[in-house]
Amino acid sequence: MSGGVIDEQPAAEDKPQRRRYLRWPSIVVILIALLPATVYAKLTRNISHIEVTREDLGDDRPAKARTDALNILVVGSDQRDDRYAGERADIIMLVHLSPARNEAAVISFPRDSLVQLPACRAGERRRGQQRRLGMINSSFSFGGIGCTWKTMETLTGIHIDHFVTVDFTGFKGMVDAIGGVDLCIPEPIRDNYVQLDLLAGWQTLQGEQALGYVRTRHSIGDRSDIGRIQRQQDFVVAMAKKTLSSWTLINPVRLLGFLNTATKSITTDPALTLGVMLDLGLTARRLSSDQVHFVITPWRYSTSYPGRIEWLQGPAKKLFRSIADDKPFTGPQIKPDPPEPPATTAPCPPVNSVL
């Protein structure tokens, strides 16, 4: 009899939870559908597009998996329109979405990685890239997003479907549009390089502080690029929670303010439209924390080039192959899932980011 009670009680509790689970995406769809055509058109015009062509990527591209999985290259840069020589990518990530959109993997590539770069053609105000050993983020400077796309496909063997670049000025605006992002700061940070001065404890980071936080490396933790990647992933999760919370979504003014700022801040390929991104955003909101896997490309410090990082070829190839073939993700991962801020402003414990 007790077994019957145990079996029945979760079902009774799960039913309203399931209704709540479905309710918020439905509300967002309705809100978006009710947007005036002029507003939707404005948001669409805000987005810049760059066509990445066959001439950019070459003919020897990785084969696409025979599924509906999506691989999206995400690059964070200092300039919005990708036309300024000398610019380098500060953040390089690859987002893999499963065919059913019920699982995602986010791979971060340390910008200090020393890799074999492929040749890329020259373009507008870009001199092109010669085949050589170099820093992974230099592809963006020499050949723009097309060269970065080709570089990532060449290095990983993963077929990329879309790209998004986000400029850091717009990133600050997005953070401000949602009223800042709450994060646990495990130790005081004072970094003159990025003009950041934070006390330990729970902090609500506004745009300028948020940008400094995702870029700092000199005054916190082990001062490595790897530590910075872990903090970036912490921040991405916290920002996504705030953006996709009811506090943001049910307020039309706040939601439209965020969408306006966000769409002005990104550049994509023409096929990655506003409608596609909104649909993917709703999908992301339905994913639980155990369905999103964060991982850093397996690495080691270079013994030949101090200050640089080399990939561990065996583990890296295994990781890339699982993504390329759309296989279940089983590798070691980072868990950027900080606890919710307490009601008080007392100092918080350090975030345990390693799974």
Side-chain angles (χ1 to χ4, degrees):
M1 182 179 297
S2 61
V5 173
I6 292 175
D7 287 341
E8 292 175 4
Q9 188 172 0
E13 292 178 350
D14 284 347
K15 198 169 184 179
Q17 290 177 353
R18 193 153 44 241
R19 286 199 298 267
R20 286 196 297 270
Y21 178 85
L22 295 172
R23 186 184 306 153
W24 282 115
S26 301
I27 289 175
V28 178
V29 169
I30 292 171
L31 285 174
I32 293 170
L34 292 177
L35 287 177
T38 53
V39 174
Y40 192 89
K42 179 181 184 299
L43 295 176
T44 300
R45 288 194 302 270
N46 283 347
I47 302 173
S48 294
H49 296 291
I50 293 177
E51 182 78 44
V52 177
T53 66
R54 176 180 174 182
E55 287 73 20
D56 294 311
L57 301 178
D59 294 324
D60 190 22
R61 295 185 62 194
K64 182 172 174 57
R66 296 181 178 180
T67 69
D68 291 328
L70 278 181
N71 297 311
I72 303 173
L73 176 65
V74 180
V75 175
S77 70
D78 288 325
Q79 296 288 347
R80 175 199 167 138
D81 59 9
D82 188 33
R83 289 194 291 267
Y84 293 87
E87 177 190 3
R88 291 194 177 191
D90 242 24
I91 298 172
I92 303 176
M93 297 188 297
L94 186 67
V95 179
H96 173 81
L97 298 172
S98 67
R101 307 296 186 257
N102 59 354
E103 191 172 21
V106 182
I107 307 174
S108 292
F109 301 87
R111 71 172 192 176
D112 289 345
S113 298
L114 201 60
V115 296
Q116 285 292 339
L117 300 170
C120 294
R121 68 172 186 160
E124 183 181 354
R125 301 185 64 180
R126 306 278 186 174
R127 64 182 182 180
Q129 177 173 273
Q130 295 182 347
R131 180 176 173 81
R132 62 185 177 86
L133 183 69
M135 295 272 284
I136 192 171
N137 64 341
S138 63
S139 290
F140 201 67
S141 172
F142 292 123
I145 188 62
C147 186
T148 303
W149 185 329
K150 180 179 181 180
T151 296
M152 299 312 299
E153 286 196 339
T154 301
L155 292 174
T156 65
I158 298 172
H159 182 97
I160 295 173
D161 301 289
H162 301 289
F163 82 85
V164 178
T165 63
V166 183
D167 82 284
F168 283 141
T169 299
F171 169 82
K172 293 187 295 184
M174 285 187 278
V175 173
D176 287 335
I178 58 174
V181 173
D182 296 325
L183 266 189
C184 175
I185 309 299
E187 61 183 87
I189 304 175
R190 179 168 292 178
D191 189 338
N192 293 329
Y193 288 93
V194 295
Q195 300 298 306
L196 185 64
D197 191 354
L198 293 174
L199 298 175
W202 286 103
Q203 305 287 343
T204 300
L205 304 187
Q206 302 300 327
E208 193 69 42
Q209 294 172 311
L211 179 58
Y213 181 79
V214 300
R215 301 184 77 177
T216 187
R217 65 183 292 181
H218 298 284
S219 303
I220 185 173
D222 61 3
R223 293 162 174 76
S224 71
D225 195 38
I226 304 303
R228 174 170 54 187
I229 287 175
Q230 294 174 342
R231 289 188 294 276
Q232 288 169 352
Q233 293 178 342
D234 287 344
F235 190 89
V236 166
V237 170
M239 184 175 178
K241 285 182 178 180
K242 183 72 171 286
T243 303
L244 297 174
S245 68
S246 57
W247 187 86
T248 300
L249 295 179
I250 66 174
N251 186 317
V253 174
R254 189 179 297 120
L255 177 61
L256 289 177
F258 174 80
L259 290 175
N260 187 52
T261 303
T263 50
K264 287 180 178 179
S265 307
I266 63 175
T267 301
T268 74
D269 58 282
L272 192 57
T273 63
L274 176 62
V276 172
M277 286 186 284
L278 289 174
D279 181 62
L280 293 176
L282 294 178
T283 298
R285 192 179 192 280
R286 293 193 292 267
L287 295 175
S288 62
S289 59
D290 61 349
Q291 292 174 305
V292 182
H293 313 287
F294 289 85
V295 63
I296 299 173
T297 303
W299 61 279
R300 67 183 176 193
Y301 287 114
S302 173
T303 56
S304 303
Y305 302 90
R308 297 292 180 254
I309 285 172
E310 298 171 347
W311 296 352
L312 296 172
Q313 292 302 313
K317 286 181 179 179
K318 183 178 179 181
L319 168 66
F320 300 153
R321 178 49 54 193
S322 69
I323 298 296
D325 293 343
D326 190 33
K327 301 296 184 182
F329 185 85
T330 58
Q333 44 187 299
I334 302 299
K335 188 177 182 182
D337 193 14
E340 296 297 328
T344 67
T345 56
C348 55
V351 175
N352 180 19
S353 60
V354 179
L355 187 66

